[in-house]
Amino acid sequence: EEQRRRLQNRPEQPREPRVLRIAVIGAPNAGKSTLCNRLLGRKVFPVSRKVHTTRCQARGVITHQDTQLIILDTPGLTSPLKAKRHNLEEAMLTDPWDSIKHADLVLVLVDVSDHWTRNSLSKEVLKCLSQFPHIPSVLVLNKVDILKKKFLLLEIATDLTEGIVNGKKLEVKSALKEDSSSSAKAPLHNTRASPPASKIPGSPFGQEKNQEGSGLDKSSGVGGAGTGEAQGPKHHGPEDLKDVKGWPHFQEIFMLAALHGEEVDTLKRYLLMQAKPGPWEFHSDVLTSQSPQEICDNIIREKVLEYLPLEVPYGVTQVTEVWEEGECGELLIVQSLLVPRESHKRMLIGRGGKVISRIAREAGQDLMNAFLCDVRLKLKVEVKG
């Protein structure tokens, strides 16, 4: 009831309100929900190492002084074929597009620890960006703490931006002397450069000099003859994207580790600065548009995804049987987890009930942190009738 009242409350309007709607997109498991939780300062979106933890669009709200940021956490962009394989709802395919349609800024998140995918944007991400080229976009390289060879960030950034950021060509110079016997990686084209270091506070850009063979020329001499000023974004058809790896219309690049909160404040400050004059959409007490029941379902599903193997968790159906508030403000929740077959039930319960006990314990703790009250969570496992 309290959350419903908050959502129904007319938003206060400061004298000069500012607002920014941000769509966070990326491949499944890039860390979108982890980043959103860090920006919000509380865990309200589900997080798991398994793909497709986020099943539908959810909004988080950050209110800071006269500015409101509305963060649209979206399902990972996926193809209809993969959606069918994971038995995903229609919303998984349509929600990311709906988010971008209503966004003022698009954050494209890339997991740099995944060496299979980090040097090119997925076709689904490129399709999204090319459908809405008029909406400003920012590239966020996530999980940089896992990347041991930091000089690779230069190469990744160049590939993902096609060597152009904010309309200016990147320019990278080698910090090693050219030596035919050197085993160091060949330098990137010297016509490409990173954005000026001052543009990206706290990012590894501008700090890589003399490390692992690559450094950045900090000069930002752009414009004039021979600098190749980039043209504005234009709409691309699917056939244009066939051989495309990056997007040359990003306005900025940020490098961070969302899990540990490294450099997330830098990104948050940037987002607050990008807000435009406009009325607030939510009361300042609102942290998320989700109902408590949705948060509860998401957190329990996160744990089920975490502790069940392969495709098994995707077949679990959740049914809340009891949702009661006790005399002292504690919350009692009883939820049934319905599985399609007996073998799945045995897996979910675990030997001696260890798996289901762990899920209930960890989910209960997360719910206490989300709701800021005591939570008694009981889970039952049944085979679908």
Side-chain angles (χ1 to χ4, degrees), residues 185-249:
K185 193 172 180 67
L188 301 175
H189 295 295
N190 62 8
T191 52
R192 296 180 172 180
S194 126
S198 59
K199 283 275 205 172
I200 314 172
S203 84
F205 275 132
Q207 299 174 9
E208 292 297 324
K209 209 110 182 171
N210 302 322
Q211 276 190 30
E212 303 287 353
S214 287
L216 290 176
D217 178 18
K218 296 198 182 178
S219 65
S220 56
V222 178
T227 55
E229 194 74 28
Q231 296 176 354
K234 61 180 188 291
H235 192 285
H236 294 275
E239 63 283 349
D240 300 327
L241 300 174
K242 204 163 53 178
D243 301 316
V244 175
K245 285 171 65 177
W247 181 248
H249 308 297

Side-chain angles (χ1 to χ4, degrees), residues 300 319-324 332-336 376-380:
I300 293 170
V319 179
T320 300
E321 294 180 2
V322 177
W323 185 286
E324 290 176 1
L332 171 63
I333 303 168
V334 179
Q335 190 170 100
S336 286
R376 287 167 54 208
L377 175 64
K378 184 179 178 184
L379 299 177
K380 300 192 292 186

Side-chain angles (χ1 to χ4, degrees), residues 8-133:
Q8 288 172 349
N9 275 350
R10 183 174 293 187
E12 329 93 299
Q13 299 296 344
R15 187 176 295 175
E16 296 177 358
R18 295 160 60 81
V19 70
L20 187 73
R21 294 174 63 87
I22 306 147
V24 184
I25 68 169
N29 224 21
K32 297 179 293 298
S33 296
T34 302
L35 176 60
C36 291
N37 286 333
R38 278 288 177 184
L39 288 167
L40 290 166
R42 289 253 292 283
K43 182 174 180 177
V44 295
F45 298 124
V47 176
S48 166
R49 284 175 296 212
K50 286 249 174 61
V51 297
H52 307 310
T53 308
T54 300
R55 304 290 282 222
C56 61
Q57 178 186 307
R59 285 177 289 176
V61 184
I62 298 169
T63 303
H64 179 77
Q65 296 175 357
D66 62 353
T67 303
Q68 194 162 80
L69 303 179
I70 299 163
I71 300 172
L72 309 166
D73 183 29
T74 60
L77 286 159
T78 190
S79 65
L81 187 69
K82 288 178 184 170
K84 193 175 178 184
R85 187 191 307 157
H86 284 95
N87 192 27
L88 305 177
E89 302 89 342
E90 180 74 17
M92 297 285 285
L93 295 171
T94 58
D95 276 359
W97 295 86
D98 290 341
S99 292
I100 295 177
K101 215 181 294 177
H102 300 109
D104 304 310
L105 182 75
V106 178
L107 283 190
V108 178
L109 205 63
V110 174
D111 174 3
V112 297
S113 71
D114 187 339
H115 68 278
W116 296 106
T117 61
R118 66 191 177 200
N119 286 89
S120 61
L121 297 172
S122 75
K123 286 291 171 270
E124 283 77 22
V125 167
L126 284 167
K127 209 185 297 177
C128 263
L129 292 170
S130 65
Q131 286 291 321
F132 305 99

